[in-house]
């Protein structure tokens, strides 16, 4: 066995000398079985999730055909845990603190060329003190929610897809530990590596997969006779069929109030109820406007203390009393909550496991660095509070009120709410409906609140909603209204400004400001790094050029 290990260390030249110089900080699982011991320093490629106790060396892949949708996993066989590897780099940092400062560094090579390197976020991974081998998928057909899948997607987006052209390529992955010490990021020696031949074949597509889809009867919309650049739409359809544009489920275009395009992909059809996640937040904005119009809520300048006795909740301050409805509509309240910061006490991920989401929100403290109304910071919990305010203010319940005042007038009869733990319609997101019904919602705003001659929502509320109140930090020329986003596309030198709803996965409803155009895109690329950028690409390069000629 000693001879076998020495042979493998020659084949997989991983440096362990450095890691033997400092005593381990924690006790690990060690070598979990002889296969692990025999392959220390190797990253094995596997076709599926094979338990370690059933795994054989004959299961290790040397080649793999990487299809648009496939299942490929890796299993690193390590000599130590990440905690101990980091301890070698920073011996003075305690165990519980060290794992918040570092993790594994992955490097991806194609045909010997470094394509992408990532210092994995410290929150990703398994039991960092003890784990010495683990399996993670890097591609999946099962929708597995793993950090490694997201990382591999980032590799593809940032050069990997361009490098993996048709043919056979050598993919190599290297692992090292890294630690961020503030002024310095230290990277350790190689701890594992593996390579595999990837076979890339572009699938043959049928004419039916590429062609503009004919609109079937009984859509409920008058059909448009406006011109469409079919070549642009066919090229988009080709990329969707090849999974170059991933997990897109529908595209609907309404021009001059008429149905121009209706396309479905990835097993979706006209009857599919799409989970568009935070697109549902914009419905909360609509319901607030209707409730104000009917006098159930005075106006959006009302403050939280008019709806709650905030002294009954934790972290009371007069600053909390003065948060206005419009601060929550504009994502500009001073609550100590930010969905863009996992360390924030009010991050939505900390809300979901709790028994009472409203109490979670009202218990939050206020951020000393924020002034309500002055800055934009995405805050899902605030929209949950808006939903609760609506639910307690309108007749019966928010769910029944929305059905009577919004959905029924639009002829929307098939939809599904998600609910909070208190069984209130969830305004944070998850409202499911068909693509054509989402188009009705968008077109209501395009019509300035009117539908079939009836003023469902006041024109004044639409105007307030479609006002650029605050810039989006880190984005050029992008703004936020009342739970609607704003941006401008430039096509052939001409600007097209749009307000839009957006949800995790890439789903969007676009309402264009100066042209009679409403566009719905639904997608289920949840938490994937390409979810929103690929929809921007679709709009910029295919959909808008095809329909604004």
């Amino acid at each position: 066995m000693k001879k076998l290990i020495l042979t493998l260390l020659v084949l997989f030249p991983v440096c362990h000398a450095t890691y033997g110089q400092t005593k381990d900080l924690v006790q690990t699982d060690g070598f979990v079985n002889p296969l692990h011991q025999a392959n220390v320093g190797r990253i094995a490629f596997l076709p599926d999730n094979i338990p370690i106790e059933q795994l054989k060396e004959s299961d290790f892949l040397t080649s793999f055909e990487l299809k648009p949708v496939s299942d490929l996993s890796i299993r690193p066989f390590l000599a130590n845990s990440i905690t101990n590897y980091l301890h070698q780099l920073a011996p003075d940092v305690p165990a519980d603190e060290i794992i918040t400062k570092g993790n594994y560094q992955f490097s991806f090579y194609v045909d010997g060329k470094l394509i992408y390197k990532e210092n994995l976020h410290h929150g990703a991974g398994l039991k960092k003190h003890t784990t010495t081998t683990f399996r993670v998928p890097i591609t999946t057909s099962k929708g597995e929610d793993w950090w490694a899948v997201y990382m591999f997607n980032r590799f593809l987006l940032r050069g990997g897809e361009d490098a993996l052209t048709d043919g056979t390529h050598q993919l190599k992955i290297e692992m090292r530990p890294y630690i961020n010490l503030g002024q310095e990021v230290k990277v350790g020696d190689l701890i594992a590596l593996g390579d595999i031949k990837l076979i890339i074949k572009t699938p043959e597509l049928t004419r039916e997969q590429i062609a503009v889809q004919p609109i079937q009867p009984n859509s409920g919309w008058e059909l448009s006779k406006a011109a469409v650049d079919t070549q642009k739409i066919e090229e988009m359809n080709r990329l969707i069929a090849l999974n170059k544009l991933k997990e897109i489920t529908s595209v609907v275009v309404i021009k001059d109030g008429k149905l121009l395009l209706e396309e479905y992909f990835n097993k979706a059809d006209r009857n599919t109820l799409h989970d568009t996640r935070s697109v549902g937040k914009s419905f909360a904005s609509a319901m607030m406007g209707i409730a104000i119009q009917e006098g159930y809520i005075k106006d959006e300048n009302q403050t939280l203390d008019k709806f709650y006795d905030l002294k009954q909740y934790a972290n009371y301050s007069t600053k909390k009393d003065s948060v206005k409805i419009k601060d929550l509509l504009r994502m500009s309240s001073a609550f100590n909550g930010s969905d863009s910061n996992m360390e924030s006490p009010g991050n939505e991920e900390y809300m979901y496991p709790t028994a009472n989401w409203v109490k979670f929100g009202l218990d939050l403290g206020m951020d000393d660095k924020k002034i309500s109304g002055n800055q934009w910071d995405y805050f899902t919990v605030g929209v949950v509070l808006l939903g609760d305010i609506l639910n307690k203010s309108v007749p019966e319940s928010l769910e029944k009120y929305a059905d009577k005042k919004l959905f029924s007038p639009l002829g929307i009869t098939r939809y599904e709410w998600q609910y909070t733990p208190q069984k209130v319609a969830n305004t944070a997101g998850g409202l499911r409906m068909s693509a054509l019904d989402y188009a009705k919602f968008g077109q209501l705003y395009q019509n300035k609140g009117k539908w079939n001659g009836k003023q469902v929502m006041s024109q004044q509320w639409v105007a307030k909603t479609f006002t650029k109140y605050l810039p989006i930090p880190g984005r050029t020329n992008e703004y936020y209204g009342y739970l609607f986003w704003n941006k401008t596309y430039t096509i052939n030198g001409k600007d097209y400004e749009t307000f839009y709803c957006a949800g995790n996965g890439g789903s969007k409803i676009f309402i264009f400001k100066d042209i009679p155009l409403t566009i719905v895109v639904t997608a289920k690329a949840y938490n994937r790094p390409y979810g929103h950028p690929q929809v921007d690409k679709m709009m910029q390069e295919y959909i808008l050029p095809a329909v604004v000629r």
Side-chain angles (χ1 to χ4, degrees):
M1 180 61 77
K2 289 181 179 177
K3 184 177 180 182
L4 178 59
I5 293 173
L6 287 172
T7 303
L8 283 164
L9 287 174
V10 172
L11 291 174
F12 304 101
V14 179
C15 178
H16 298 298
T18 303
Y19 300 116
Q21 294 174 0
T22 302
K23 184 179 179 181
D24 283 350
L25 186 62
V26 293
Q27 185 173 351
T28 73
D29 294 336
F31 297 126
V32 300
N33 63 14
L35 182 71
H36 179 181
Q37 190 170 17
N39 287 279
V40 64
R42 179 175 189 169
I43 300 174
F45 290 84
L46 306 171
D48 211 339
N49 183 14
I50 304 172
I52 184 67
E53 60 272 11
Q54 299 174 19
L55 188 62
K56 305 181 296 294
E57 198 156 336
S58 59
D59 294 318
F60 296 177
L61 297 174
T62 57
S63 65
F64 183 79
E65 184 177 347
L66 188 65
K67 298 179 180 180
V69 180
S70 56
D71 292 284
L72 181 63
S73 294
I74 58 171
R75 177 176 283 279
F77 295 101
L78 305 174
N80 216 327
S81 70
I82 187 61
T83 300
N84 286 333
Y85 284 130
L86 296 176
H87 178 58
Q88 308 301 324
L89 296 173
D92 298 328
V93 181
D96 290 340
E97 183 181 341
I98 206 168
I99 58 173
T100 68
K101 296 180 178 295
N103 208 329
Y104 302 109
Q105 181 189 86
F106 283 82
S107 300
F108 293 83
Y109 296 79
V110 175
D111 300 328
K113 181 182 178 182
L114 176 64
I115 301 296
Y116 179 66
K117 184 181 293 184
E118 178 171 317
N119 290 340
L120 190 65
H121 186 274
H122 67 79
L126 306 173
K127 297 176 181 177
K128 295 184 175 60
H129 289 346
T130 58
T131 298
T132 54
T133 183
F134 55 89
R135 167 265 171 190
V136 286
I138 57 174
T139 71
T140 176
S141 65
K142 307 176 185 69
E144 292 177 275
D145 194 18
W146 278 90
W147 54 264
V149 173
Y150 307 144
M151 179 175 65
F152 194 75
N153 283 327
R154 287 189 287 271
F155 150 69
L156 292 174
L157 279 173
R158 296 169 189 176
E161 202 160 60
D162 292 335
L164 295 171
T165 54
D166 277 16
T168 301
H169 300 273
Q170 199 76 14
L171 172 70
K172 181 174 71 170
I173 300 177
E174 295 180 348
M175 289 176 64
R176 295 172 174 83
Y178 84 91
I179 187 164
N180 188 339
L181 298 173
Q183 299 298 318
E184 176 189 15
V185 176
K186 295 181 70 173
V187 180
D189 294 318
L190 190 65
I191 57 176
L193 65 86
D195 58 15
I196 189 172
K197 287 183 179 178
L198 290 183
I199 301 163
I200 312 296
K201 295 179 183 177
T202 300
E204 293 289 332
L205 300 180
T206 66
R207 176 64 190 163
E208 186 179 24
Q209 288 175 287
I210 298 172
V212 176
Q213 299 173 24
I215 297 174
Q216 300 302 312
N218 304 315
S219 68
W221 292 83
E222 184 180 347
L223 300 189
S224 173
K225 296 179 181 178
V228 176
D229 185 339
T230 57
Q231 286 187 329
K232 291 288 186 185
I233 301 303
E234 288 178 353
E235 176 60 15
M236 178 187 75
N237 290 355
R238 186 183 74 84
L239 294 175
I240 293 172
L242 292 173
N243 207 40
K244 302 290 187 182
L245 296 170
K246 298 173 173 62
E247 301 170 276
I248 304 298
T249 50
S250 74
V251 174
V252 168
V253 176
I254 308 296
K255 190 171 185 180
D256 294 311
K258 301 174 183 178
L259 180 57
L260 179 60
L261 288 172
E262 184 186 7
E263 307 268 317
Y264 296 103
F265 313 95
N266 293 309
K267 301 180 180 179
D269 59 29
R270 183 179 281 177
N271 295 316
T272 300
L273 299 182
H274 303 270
D275 181 0
T276 57
R277 305 291 173 94
S278 287
V279 165
K281 288 182 169 69
S282 299
F283 285 78
S285 176
M287 293 314 305
M288 183 61 69
I290 293 171
I292 290 173
Q293 176 182 323
E294 295 203 325
Y296 294 112
I297 293 172
K298 182 182 177 183
D299 58 38
E300 67 269 36
N301 290 306
Q302 281 195 283
T303 50
L304 285 185
D305 61 344
K306 300 298 187 293
F307 302 94
Y308 303 101
D309 180 2
L310 294 172
K311 293 179 182 178
Q312 302 301 312
Y313 295 88
N315 298 302
Y316 171 74
S317 74
T318 54
K319 191 174 180 179
K320 191 185 296 187
D321 276 335
S322 62
V323 172
K324 298 176 182 178
I325 287 175
K326 71 178 179 183
D327 297 329
L328 301 176
L329 288 167
R330 298 184 303 182
M331 296 282 185
S332 65
S333 72
F335 274 104
N336 192 2
S338 172
D339 291 352
S340 62
N341 178 9
M342 280 303 297
E343 310 301 324
S344 169
N347 186 288
E348 64 176 319
E349 297 302 328
Y350 302 129
M351 173 188 73
Y352 294 125
T354 66
N356 187 319
W357 295 357
V358 173
K359 183 178 186 303
F360 173 88
L362 297 178
D363 277 343
L364 289 172
M366 305 305 284
D367 189 331
D368 292 338
K369 298 177 182 177
K370 291 180 178 178
I371 299 173
S372 287
N374 278 26
Q375 68 291 301
W376 183 90
D377 200 348
Y378 199 78
F379 182 50
T380 292
V381 178
V383 190
V384 172
L385 296 180
L386 288 176
D388 187 64
I389 290 170
L390 282 165
N391 190 66
K392 66 200 301 182
S393 300
V394 299
E396 297 188 90
S397 68
L398 170 58
E399 181 178 1
K400 291 181 179 180
Y401 188 68
D403 184 75
K404 182 178 180 180
K405 296 296 182 177
L406 179 62
F407 299 141
S408 291
L410 296 181
I412 298 174
T413 58
R414 292 182 59 251
Y415 59 90
E416 294 176 358
W417 284 104
Q418 291 180 356
Y419 299 92
T420 71
Q422 280 61 55
K423 308 301 181 186
V424 174
N426 180 16
T427 48
L431 175 62
R432 301 171 188 247
M433 59 180 60
S434 72
L436 288 179
D437 283 344
Y438 283 124
K440 290 179 179 179
F441 179 71
Q443 191 63 26
L444 176 67
Y445 281 86
Q446 185 67 253
N447 297 344
K448 296 181 170 52
K450 187 175 289 188
W451 189 262
N452 287 340
K454 179 182 179 182
Q455 200 73 44
V456 176
M457 183 192 314
S458 76
Q459 186 171 337
Q460 292 77 12
W461 185 258
V462 174
K464 286 182 177 182
T465 300
F466 285 4
T467 297
K468 296 188 286 188
Y469 292 107
L470 293 164
I472 307 296
R475 302 190 191 183
T476 302
N477 198 29
E478 295 191 27
Y479 301 88
Y480 206 72
Y482 280 175
L483 298 179
F484 276 78
W485 306 73
N486 171 274
K487 71 183 305 177
T488 299
Y489 291 97
T490 302
I491 309 296
N492 297 325
K494 186 173 180 180
D495 289 344
Y496 296 92
E497 184 182 348
T498 180
F499 282 86
Y500 65 99
C501 327
N504 186 347
S507 292
K508 290 180 167 63
I509 305 172
F510 296 95
I511 303 100
F512 283 84
K513 184 177 177 182
D514 299 316
I515 55 173
L517 191 65
T518 300
I519 297 174
V520 173
V521 178
T522 63
K524 51 183 181 180
Y526 304 122
N527 300 316
R528 303 299 197 242
Y530 51 76
H532 292 298
Q534 70 177 3
V535 175
D536 267 339
K537 178 183 175 75
M538 289 167 61
M539 293 293 289
Q540 183 72 50
E541 298 182 18
Y542 304 108
I543 301 174
L544 284 174
V547 302
V548 299
R549 295 192 306 166

